[in-house]
Amino acid sequence: MDKYTDADKHKSMAELSDTQIQDFENDGVLVIPEFFTTDECDSVQNRMTELLSQYRPQEKETVFSTTDNTHTQEDYFLTSGDKIRFFFEDSEVVDKSRPLELTLNKVGHALHDLDPVFSNFVRQPKLAKLASDVGFLSPLLLQSMYIFKPPKIGGEVVWHTDHPFLWTDPPSVKGLWVALEDATIENGCLWCLPGLHKEQPRQRFRRNSSGGTEMITLNPDPFPTERKVPVEAKKGTLVVLDGLLPHWSGPNTSSRSRHAFTLHLIEESAEYPKDNWLQRSDDMPLRGFETQIVD
Ligand code: FE2
């Protein structure tokens, strides 16, 4: 499995080769080094620095934790699908006197539609071509996140697949994960279970009648995580993840941050349920790769 541990073996290509497309179909994951230039990565990192400088503290700040899940019942999270909102690492480990980038877990979930720099970053022909190459006919840009994974306190993201959170019928979500900084085992890179994307979904995360959310278990069997392989990725690497591929990342115990940006795509023709957690207001419909925001 050294194709995941030695990403340098992959060449960057404007167009995916047949082998890459076949690898993605077989494994559910594809690693493409140097998909983005250093300048492109720097531009979104610098833009995030600007956004953080404009951040005004909330009355109650929301923690994002996949081991705790309190956030999943909070309005600030549940109404963030068409906004730019800020989520913190676990409050017990956060020192609020530190700079924001050292205390935040992530910013989400509509950077790509509300901010011109992020919109231009994702609405590039090479990304639209890639979406087509991995099977999309008419992709919609559903969700984006800027992930900080700060040094020492960046939390674990537990084993999951993305489809249960961004459910469509038929399943269509795919994740595009961009290393904005080098991601290594030490600072909490992705790990995955290649080939497991061919199994049926084991969970469904949805809104419930009491105004919160719930996780429905469809299959209680745990993932065979002993088979996990690391996806180390140098800055500029794009990792494509099938929506049914189990993935995980450990806590960042190193002294280096691990910034990443993710974009999730769904197929326009697939049904998007009204009880998915992520909903848009009527005046901000989902869009594809075509429309740029003019700054
Ligand atoms: Fe994920």
Side-chain angles (χ1 to χ4, degrees), residues 10 274 279:
H10 291 254
K274 287 191 166 40
Q279 300 293 331

Side-chain angles (χ1 to χ4, degrees), residues 11-208:
K11 289 209 172 84
S12 175
M13 296 180 193
E15 187 169 324
L16 293 184
S17 67
D18 290 345
T19 304
Q20 286 176 304
I21 293 171
Q22 194 61 52
D23 280 352
F24 182 64
E25 285 175 8
N26 291 341
D27 299 339
V29 55
L30 182 64
V31 180
I32 312 174
E34 298 174 19
F35 189 92
F36 291 100
T37 65
T38 298
D39 283 351
E40 287 171 334
C41 293
D42 289 346
S43 74
V44 290
Q45 283 191 285
N46 292 338
R47 180 58 181 155
M48 181 50 64
T49 301
E50 288 178 10
L51 292 177
L52 295 187
S53 73
Q54 297 161 13
Y55 174 75
R56 296 290 169 265
Q58 310 296 306
E59 200 169 292
K60 176 181 176 301
E61 286 169 338
T62 299
V63 168
F64 184 89
S65 167
T66 63
T67 55
D68 171 295
N69 283 323
T70 303
H71 68 273
T72 62
Q73 308 307 321
E74 296 187 9
D75 192 57
Y76 186 77
F77 168 77
L78 288 171
T79 59
S80 67
D82 51 9
K83 299 184 179 64
I84 297 175
R85 288 193 166 164
F86 302 76
F87 299 91
F88 286 80
E89 290 288 347
D90 184 342
S91 54
E92 289 189 9
V93 299
V94 163
D95 174 358
K96 286 288 173 56
S97 68
R98 302 179 83 201
L100 270 177
E101 66 269 23
L102 297 177
T103 60
L104 283 169
N105 175 288
K106 68 176 180 180
V107 174
H109 292 91
L111 284 159
H112 62 289
D113 274 343
L114 292 173
D115 184 86
V117 174
F118 282 92
S119 177
N120 291 340
F121 181 66
V122 299
R123 289 188 169 86
Q124 299 192 54
K126 63 183 176 183
L127 215 49
K129 178 73 174 75
L130 176 122
S132 170
D133 284 349
V134 298
F136 280 102
L137 299 176
S138 182
L140 294 175
L141 282 53
L142 175 61
Q143 167 186 272
S144 54
M145 296 185 280
Y146 189 105
I147 300 165
F148 293 87
K149 202 82 152 177
K152 302 295 183 190
I153 64 165
E156 172 189 11
V157 176
V158 299
W159 281 102
H160 70 283
T161 66
D162 294 336
H163 170 66
F165 297 91
L166 302 170
W167 191 277
T168 65
D169 185 15
S172 68
V173 67
K174 291 181 174 61
L176 307 180
W177 189 99
V178 182
L180 298 176
E181 298 178 317
D182 294 350
T184 65
I185 290 173
E186 288 71 32
N187 70 357
C189 70
L190 288 174
W191 294 68
C192 66
L193 299 173
L196 265 286
H197 63 300
K198 296 180 178 174
E199 299 194 355
Q200 294 297 309
R202 300 183 187 210
Q203 293 178 308
R204 162 109 204 266
F205 182 73
R206 67 182 185 191
R207 290 174 184 258
N208 59 24

